[in-house]
Amino acid sequence: CVSVDRSKMSAEDLATEKKRLWWHSRRGMKELDVLLLPFLEDVYSQLSENDQAKYRKLLEVEDPDLFTWFMQTARSSDDDLQYMVDMILNRVQPS
């Protein structure tokens, strides 16, 4: 996971980055798409750089693992990844 100072990126660079993230967020598994794409569109840009890095790290995970975490049949052993899964789930689950 490469660390990039987003405060120094141009608007065009940020737009390109968001398109790249959109394609990585689109998993082709509806259960994941309905969680990841709206999160990217609605929340990602307001996240801290640290949390944005956690989201990008989450996108590196294989779909079967993501599916079990989001369906809550397993938890990630990586605290950063589980934090991001919980953040995404908390958006869609009633409190």
Side-chain angles (χ1 to χ4, degrees):
C1 194
V2 176
S3 179
V4 175
D5 184 353
R6 280 164 175 59
S7 65
K8 294 186 169 94
M9 291 175 72
S10 71
E12 186 177 320
D13 290 339
L14 289 169
T16 300
E17 161 104 347
K18 187 114 179 214
K19 286 178 189 170
R20 185 183 65 75
L21 288 172
W22 191 89
W23 282 107
H24 286 282
S25 297
R26 188 175 183 283
R27 307 305 284 220
M29 187 182 288
K30 186 175 183 172
E31 296 87 349
L32 297 177
D33 289 351
V34 299
L35 293 168
L36 295 175
L37 291 171
F39 184 84
L40 176 68
E41 293 297 325
D42 301 338
V43 179
Y44 179 81
S45 59
Q46 284 93 45
L47 295 175
S48 69
E49 274 193 45
N50 191 30
D51 285 351
Q52 287 180 354
K54 290 175 188 175
Y55 182 79
R56 292 190 305 276
K57 181 178 176 182
L58 184 72
L59 295 181
E60 296 172 10
V61 174
E62 298 292 327
D63 288 359
D65 291 332
L66 289 177
F67 182 80
T68 61
W69 299 343
F70 282 116
M71 296 303 115
Q72 298 177 299
T73 57
R75 292 180 63 82
S76 173
S77 59
D78 182 309
D79 290 341
D80 287 346
L81 295 177
Q82 189 59 51
Y83 169 82
M84 193 53 54
V85 167
D86 292 341
M87 181 186 290
I88 293 168
L89 286 174
N90 286 337
R91 288 190 67 242
V92 296
Q93 293 176 333
S95 35

